[in-house]
Amino acid sequence: MAKEVSEEAPVQQTGKDYVDPPPSPLFTLEELKLWSFYRALIAEFIATLLFLYIGVATVIGHVKLNNADLCDGVGILGIAWAFGGMIFILVYCTAGISGGHINPAVTLGLFLARKLSLVRAVAYMVAQCLGAICGVGLVKAFMKSFYNRLGGGANFVQPGYNKGTALGAEIVGTFVLVYTVFSATDPKRSARDSHVPVLAPLPIGFAVFMVHLATIPITGTGINPARSFGAAVIYNNGKIWDDQWIFWVGPFVGALAATIYHQFILRAAAIKALGSFRSNTNN
């Protein structure tokens, strides 16, 4: 009786158990023809609106209670939980639609890492800023009698600190956030630690929480230019506008530093690119 022997084709080894997505084109207008592009913009707009509404409303409520009966309201811990918790929720909800950036600094970092095109990056930032303005506008509409009197939840350099210290705090705080975003969404880490069931939004939200604990006493915690810009537009106070540059330069510098650290040092993108170049020249 003859035996039928089936031979399986040998499996090719790729040398690694993860696949890096191809870099996005630097500039393309093809995205403008896709509904998914506009759906992502809507998601970023709504997510940033909700983020600012909950966050700034918590700040105003805390100050109101603190002034009313000298209690501490929810305190710094509660404010940090409000911002960090909302980031966890909103990134979880929108990651599959837009990537769940909700922050121009995060968008800049991912753009520099070639995770999205220039057109999408600029469109995201515009949507985020508009969403932030609308979110703070809702807070003012619902808390009109307290909003202007209690500071509008706006970011500024707190008494006892200078602008250099505030800028440094924003740079370091944003570095922590953007570095966490890269690490939590790194395909290599996901493949290596696939046995660890960690949702990417969880460490990102927790990073926002921890940074708020450290920097609320210094700047009120920006680390998100849209958050600071939206509050400044609605509150519209001279002191707030004088300090506004800190909340753009600091987060963008922090995002740049985090991108360089993760992509070119931890992931050794520069060395890989050099090796690929040498391989092509030898061939």
Side-chain angles (χ1 to χ4, degrees):
M1 184 175 181
K3 289 185 179 181
E4 294 182 358
V5 179
S6 61
E7 295 182 358
E8 296 182 356
V11 178
Q12 294 182 350
Q13 298 294 330
T14 62
K16 59 182 182 179
D17 55 358
Y18 67 96
V19 177
D20 283 313
S24 296
L26 181 62
F27 184 84
T28 177
L29 297 178
E30 292 300 316
E31 290 180 305
L32 300 178
K33 303 176 183 178
L34 303 175
W35 161 242
S36 60
F37 174 77
Y38 299 99
R39 182 181 61 181
L41 293 184
I42 295 170
E44 287 292 313
F45 172 84
I46 295 298
T48 314
L49 183 155
L50 295 174
F51 174 60
L52 266 293
Y53 171 72
I54 295 297
V56 173
T58 302
V59 172
I60 298 299
H62 158 68
V63 178
K64 175 180 177 292
L65 291 175
N66 192 39
N67 291 346
D69 54 11
L70 300 181
C71 75
D72 195 31
V74 297
I76 290 179
L77 184 64
I79 294 172
W81 271 122
F83 281 97
M86 279 305 291
I87 286 296
F88 168 68
I89 293 168
L90 294 170
V91 172
Y92 178 82
C93 292
T94 60
I97 301 171
S98 66
H101 297 192
I102 322 172
N103 185 336
V106 172
T107 299
L108 176 65
L110 294 174
F111 165 70
L112 295 175
R114 300 290 302 277
K115 305 293 185 183
L116 69 163
S117 69
L118 177 61
V119 172
R120 185 176 288 262
V122 173
Y124 273 22
M125 291 182 187
V126 172
Q128 291 156 0
C129 289
L130 292 176
I133 293 171
C134 293
V136 181
L138 284 179
V139 177
K140 184 174 182 179
F142 295 160
M143 301 181 170
K144 191 172 183 179
S145 59
F146 303 102
Y147 180 82
N148 287 325
R149 181 158 51 90
L150 300 179
N155 293 128
F156 60 93
V157 180
Q158 301 292 319
Y161 296 94
N162 58 44
K163 293 187 177 181
T165 301
L167 180 63
E170 289 294 309
I171 291 173
V172 174
T174 311
F175 179 93
V176 172
L177 171 59
V178 178
Y179 173 42
T180 304
V181 170
F182 276 119
S183 298
T185 58
D186 190 338
K188 182 177 182 179
R189 187 210 63 82
S190 299
R192 183 190 64 227
D193 301 334
S194 58
H195 61 287
V196 182
V198 177
L199 289 171
L202 181 59
I204 296 171
F206 201 68
V208 172
F209 166 72
M210 296 302 295
V211 171
H212 272 75
L213 289 181
T215 57
I216 283 176
I218 304 173
T219 63
T221 307
I223 66 170
N224 183 334
R227 179 261 185 269
S228 302
F229 181 70
V233 168
I234 300 300
Y235 187 54
N236 198 24
N237 176 276
K239 164 65 174 172
I240 304 303
W241 286 116
D242 289 342
D243 293 345
Q244 183 65 198
W245 67 272
I246 294 172
F247 301 101
W248 287 85
V249 175
F252 281 172
V253 172
L256 173 62
T259 304
I260 293 172
Y261 176 63
H262 185 270
Q263 295 296 106
F264 293 95
I265 297 178
L266 298 186
R267 292 299 304 274
I271 296 176
K272 292 176 182 176
L274 180 60
S276 177
F277 173 76
R278 289 177 174 174
S279 177
N280 290 334
T281 55
N282 291 335
N283 294 334

